[in-house]
Amino acid sequence: MKNLIAANWKLNPTTKKEAENLLKGIEKGIKGLMSEVVICPPFVYLPSLKGLELGAQNVYFEEKGAFTGEISAVMLKDLGVSYVIIGHSERRKYFGETDESVNRKIKKALESGLKIIFCIGETAEERDAGKKNEVLERQIKIGLSGVENLENINIAYEPVWAIGTGNNCSVEETKESINFIRKFVKPETRILYGGSVKSENSGAYIKDAGANGLLVGGASLNAEEFIKIVRSSEE
Ligand code: PGA
């Protein structure tokens, strides 16, 4: 099984030119490497980015109709997009995403032939209250409810307190969480780690924590740094 290294560009960069240059830089630097690398830019850049596998950062659970501002799985697939991130904690926090809407989105995206990067993770409060496993179990069980075939499902374990804070989760704790998550998926399901991944800490998640890939936010906006992260996962 190949490691999956996904770049979550979030609401960046601010122009199409910058997006194209960033992608070109990454493409050049990862030539010959073995990992599966997926770039998840804002929707509007998807049609102009060529050369690497692409993912969207969100999708709607209806196919068409009167849903102003939404994008469907069929539209993404038609554009040649292969992956979609679903359930990112920023969408849960700022845009009212729930375990139930995540589940509807996952089912719709699978139906359209997209591969999923399904994000789960506990907040600092939930962790402090000793509820981490309970939260992860709920997110997985509701998120994947009615999903029989896990072939196109990848789980990204992203502790909310570790995202964008520089406070990445320790390898020991990540390993524990990955082992816990493993109980609810197939042995061949890839489980990624995300949350303040940098080239200095990235390799250990693969080698020591048992992750099968990484979901990289901030550090994926710098081609050189992102390339180092992909390399580190293969050493
Ligand atoms: P970060 O973001 O690497 O900037 O912490 C990761 C993510 O939100 O997917």
Side-chain angles (χ1 to χ4, degrees), residues 8 10 88 90 158 162-164 195-197 215-218:
N8 178 10
K10 310 192 181 186
H88 191 281
E90 285 152 16
E158 297 205 304
I163 296 178
S196 298
V197 171
L215 180 54
V216 187

Side-chain angles (χ1 to χ4, degrees), residues 16-179:
K16 186 171 106 173
K17 194 82 222 144
E18 285 172 89
E20 286 170 357
N21 288 340
L22 180 53
L23 183 118
K24 269 189 214 133
I26 294 171
E27 190 190 358
K28 238 196 268 163
I30 61 164
K31 278 223 169 76
L33 297 181
M34 282 152 20
S35 308
E36 182 176 6
V37 174
V38 178
I39 307 295
C40 305
F43 284 128
V44 290
Y45 300 143
L46 287 168
S48 43
L49 295 179
K50 309 272 178 238
L52 287 177
E53 227 180 348
L54 296 176
Q57 298 173 15
N58 182 32
V59 67
Y60 194 51
F61 46 67
E62 295 289 350
E63 211 161 282
K64 57 179 180 163
F67 304 103
T68 304
E70 295 299 329
I71 308 271
S72 75
V74 184
M75 292 173 187
L76 292 173
K77 191 68 191 164
D78 180 58
L79 214 55
V81 170
S82 7
Y83 279 85
V84 58
I85 298 174
I86 296 181
H88 191 281
S89 65
E90 285 152 16
R91 296 216 56 89
R92 294 178 191 256
K93 180 172 174 196
Y94 301 124
F95 305 102
E97 195 86 271
T98 62
D99 291 325
E100 287 73 21
S101 64
V102 165
N103 176 246
R104 290 181 71 184
K105 289 179 176 193
I106 290 178
K107 287 198 273 200
K108 201 68 198 173
L110 286 175
E111 228 177 81
S112 304
L114 290 168
K115 293 181 246 185
I116 317 292
I117 299 173
F118 168 28
C119 298
I120 58 171
E122 81 288 356
T123 63
E125 294 70 35
E126 290 162 340
R127 177 170 175 252
D128 293 346
K131 295 199 163 130
K132 177 167 66 179
N133 287 354
E134 191 185 310
V135 169
L136 296 178
E137 182 169 350
R138 188 201 72 225
Q139 290 176 334
I140 299 171
K141 286 200 169 151
I142 303 179
L144 294 181
S145 145
V147 177
E148 307 281 307
N149 185 349
L150 297 188
E151 201 182 318
N152 284 334
I153 301 280
N154 302 273
I155 309 265
Y157 171 56
E158 297 205 304
V160 180
W161 49 269
I163 296 178
T165 57
N167 182 24
N168 59 302
C169 189
S170 72
V171 167
E172 295 70 37
E173 191 172 340
T174 305
K175 188 175 179 176
E176 263 176 40
S177 298
I178 288 179
N179 287 341

